[in-house]
Amino acid sequence: MTALDTPAWTPSSWRELPAAQQPDWPDPAALEAALDQIRALPPLVFAGEIRALRERLAQVQAGQAFLLQGGDCAETFGGFTADAIRDKLKVLLQMAVVLTYGAELPVIKVGRIAGQFAKPRSKATESIDGTELPTYRGDAVNSIDFDALARTPDPDRLVHSYHQAAATMNLLRAFTRGGFADLQRVHQWNQEFVASSPQGRRYARIAEEIDRALSFLRACGVDVDNDPTFHTVDFWTSHEALLLGYEEALTRQDSLTGDWYDTSAHLVWVGARTRDLDGAHVHFASGIGNPVAVKLDHRATPEEAEALAARLNPDNVPGRLTLITRVGAEHAEEVLPPLIRGVRDRGLNVVWSCDPMHGNTFTAESGYKTRHFSDVLAEVRAFFDVHAHEGTFPGGLHIELTGEDVTECLGGAQEIADLDLSDRYESACDPRLNNKQGLELAFLVSEMLQG
Ligand code: PEP
Ligand code: CO
């Protein structure tokens, strides 16, 4: 299908186009009934907030702010606890403080949270001991348990996802407004990390400098203890817009502007497996007013980026389109320069973000799917180097992490080895950095930013 045959956009017009990675729902009527239920439920975020994030991302594009996006590869129904949400927020806030200091810029904090329940998969089925079943596609679709009933897509899970997203959102709003995000408190956690672990000690200097900066502010008469700037943070939500029925059901018309917004999250992205220019996902994303992102793997070309921008951001609005490169450390130095240069030379307004996770996944000898901290760091380093060389702004990081002390990624100062992976490997999908590795990455990036 060519751009000329593309249907006029409505929240449901994607249905006329090929949609990759959609589950094989056994009962289409039950699916539509579940989507009707969601359609009748309140939005999870509001149009005004979505527009505010777009403005923040425009600042990122202009080099005046830095984007930190992170969270689970896949949220699960079983892992839904207040503590888990708190700890995820905590590590993101800790990282943000360190990055704010390193970049000398405000950090825009976006969670992969409150809706990250669906996964694209490379294989439609999974075989264990001769039994072949549909692959696990995230808790919004089926269960990770390996039996036929559990793996059958169940549309009630979409409704469950909505409710969990709503409860998560509620807690996030409380945490970010109710004192949990207090700058001094977050800084204190970082100091604890520095003091309590050998891997943290390396970063004592940065922690001390932040401490001195706070003392300086106090000495200048800034009321660090009571000024709301230091007590609350803006925190935004995001997920991959994969299950288009769910996204459609939460796409609402803004009464103020008449524009359509996907109110399932502030920002949604199109994944590397669904970014077909003429496919349903890019088409759906083209009509919503949210800031949108697209994942680009090592095969992406400047021409493709240009075509994506033509569809997703024809008016070249700053902050509307984020390109997330996830090319893998081994390809980064080769593929990033022509891509970034090509986009720059075409005058396309984009935020560049680096996902150093998805291009660096491999299966360890133990059989666990993992990533090495050194590869993650190498891709981040290449991203910053190439942008410095091309005169473009390295706008942000997109990280899979958790607030818990899991053992899913190798290396880091904790030196997690293959034999350690089985200790606490809890991810339902891809391996995540644990809280220490996340913070360590932030300190290393902070050092990089300071040259
Ligand atoms: C993801 O972000 O979890 C993901 C599947 O990424 P990608 O589309 O880049 O492979
Ligand atoms: Co992932």
Side-chain angles (χ1 to χ4, degrees):
M1 185 172 281
T2 68
L4 289 177
D5 319 310
T6 304
W9 193 91
T10 68
S12 62
S13 53
W14 63 270
R15 291 172 184 255
E16 295 168 45
L17 298 169
Q21 295 283 344
Q22 301 306 290
D24 219 344
W25 302 101
D27 180 351
L31 171 65
E32 291 309 321
L35 295 179
D36 282 344
Q37 274 188 61
I38 297 170
R39 217 166 263 129
L41 291 164
L44 293 172
V45 303
F46 302 101
E49 297 174 331
I50 295 172
R51 284 191 288 268
L53 176 58
R54 200 182 58 211
E55 278 158 28
R56 297 297 171 83
L57 290 170
Q59 290 178 328
V60 175
Q61 201 218 293
Q64 292 160 0
F66 191 77
L67 167 67
L68 173 64
Q69 188 179 13
D72 285 314
C73 180
E75 291 172 275
T76 61
F77 298 166
F80 177 50
T81 65
D83 287 359
I85 295 166
R86 181 200 59 204
D87 291 343
K88 223 174 295 169
L89 178 66
K90 182 175 164 182
V91 70
L92 284 167
L93 294 175
Q94 287 182 270
M95 290 172 72
V97 168
V98 175
L99 291 169
T100 304
Y101 184 78
E104 298 179 31
L105 291 172
V107 173
I108 313 306
K109 299 167 263 297
V110 181
R112 279 177 69 112
I113 200 166
Q116 179 56 19
F117 294 107
K119 298 311 302 170
R121 303 312 300 260
S122 11
K123 296 197 186 85
T125 60
E126 181 182 357
S127 293
I128 299 181
D129 298 333
T131 307
E132 191 177 10
L133 290 177
T135 191
Y136 170 63
R137 290 186 179 272
D139 277 11
V141 176
N142 56 5
S143 160
I144 199 164
D145 296 342
F146 194 76
D147 73 64
L149 189 62
R151 286 291 171 95
T152 305
D154 173 3
D156 284 343
R157 287 176 164 271
L158 295 169
V159 182
H160 190 128
S161 300
Y162 168 89
H163 289 294
Q164 184 167 319
T168 303
M169 196 70 224
N170 183 49
L171 199 61
L172 288 171
R173 289 188 193 279
F175 277 140
T176 52
R177 299 282 141 197
F180 180 77
D182 185 282
L183 175 61
Q184 299 207 69
R185 193 169 151 152
V186 176
H187 174 55
Q188 201 185 332
W189 293 328
N190 282 351
Q191 285 175 311
E192 279 162 22
F193 166 77
V194 166
S196 70
S197 59
Q199 62 268 27
R201 239 155 262 153
R202 228 199 109 201
Y203 309 107
R205 185 188 54 82
I206 295 185
E208 261 163 44
E209 285 173 13
I210 296 175
D211 215 33
R212 286 169 60 83
L214 286 171
S215 303
F216 176 74
L217 286 178
R218 251 182 241 110
C220 293
V222 176
D223 190 354
V224 176
D225 303 305
N226 296 302
D227 187 321
T229 318
F230 300 102
H231 281 297
T232 62
V233 296
D234 287 330
F235 188 82
W236 316 89
T237 59
S238 71
H239 61 261
E240 178 172 352
L242 185 72
L243 301 176
L244 293 175
Y246 178 83
E247 304 303 332
E248 173 194 328
L250 282 164
T251 296
R252 312 286 165 86
Q253 196 164 23
D254 175 31
S255 53
L256 219 60
T257 60
D259 294 337
W260 292 94
Y261 289 93
D262 183 349
T263 65
S264 70
H266 299 108
L267 177 149
V268 292
W269 75 85
V270 177
R273 292 174 189 76
T274 51
R275 65 165 200 264
D276 176 5
L277 284 169
D278 299 316
H281 291 83
V282 168
H283 175 74
F284 174 78
S286 75
I288 54 174
N290 307 54
V292 296
V294 184
K295 295 280 204 88
L296 297 179
D297 61 27
H298 67 281
R299 293 164 308 188
T301 61
E303 291 72 26
E304 186 184 359
E306 182 178 24
L308 282 164
R311 281 169 174 71
L312 294 172
N313 194 16
D315 298 330
N316 213 14
V317 177
R320 154 78 175 161
L321 179 61
T322 295
L323 297 179
I324 306 173
T325 53
R326 34 84 86 218
V327 299
E330 56 170 333
H331 299 291
E333 278 162 20
E334 186 195 327
V335 306
L336 288 180
L339 183 63
I340 289 166
R341 213 179 294 141
V343 169
R344 180 200 66 193
D345 292 348
R346 287 166 172 82
L348 302 174
N349 286 328
V350 302
V351 168
W352 286 109
S353 181
C354 171
D355 166 358
M357 314 299 294
H358 288 89
N360 294 309
T361 318
F362 65 95
T363 304
E365 259 172 57
S366 58
Y368 283 98
K369 195 172 166 188
T370 190
R371 293 161 174 153
H372 205 292
F373 188 84
S374 60
D375 293 333
V376 170
L377 191 63
E379 183 162 347
V380 173
R381 202 180 288 283
F383 175 81
F384 281 106
D385 285 351
V386 172
H387 280 285
H389 192 256
E390 301 302 336
T392 46
F393 183 63
L397 289 177
H398 179 116
I399 308 287
E400 284 185 345
L401 54 74
T402 169
E404 285 137 86
D405 194 18
V406 299
T407 52
E408 298 172 5
C409 291
L410 298 168
Q414 277 172 295
E415 297 182 357
I416 294 175
D418 192 358
L419 282 174
D420 304 322
L421 292 179
S422 62
D423 287 352
R424 289 178 304 283
Y425 195 102
E426 291 164 16
S427 179
C429 198
D430 290 338
R432 305 158 296 177
L433 297 183
N434 66 28
N435 47 8
K436 294 200 179 76
Q437 289 170 321
L439 201 50
E440 191 182 349
L441 182 68
F443 275 111
L444 288 166
V445 170
S446 192
E447 284 178 355
M448 252 182 244
L449 289 168
Q450 298 195 307

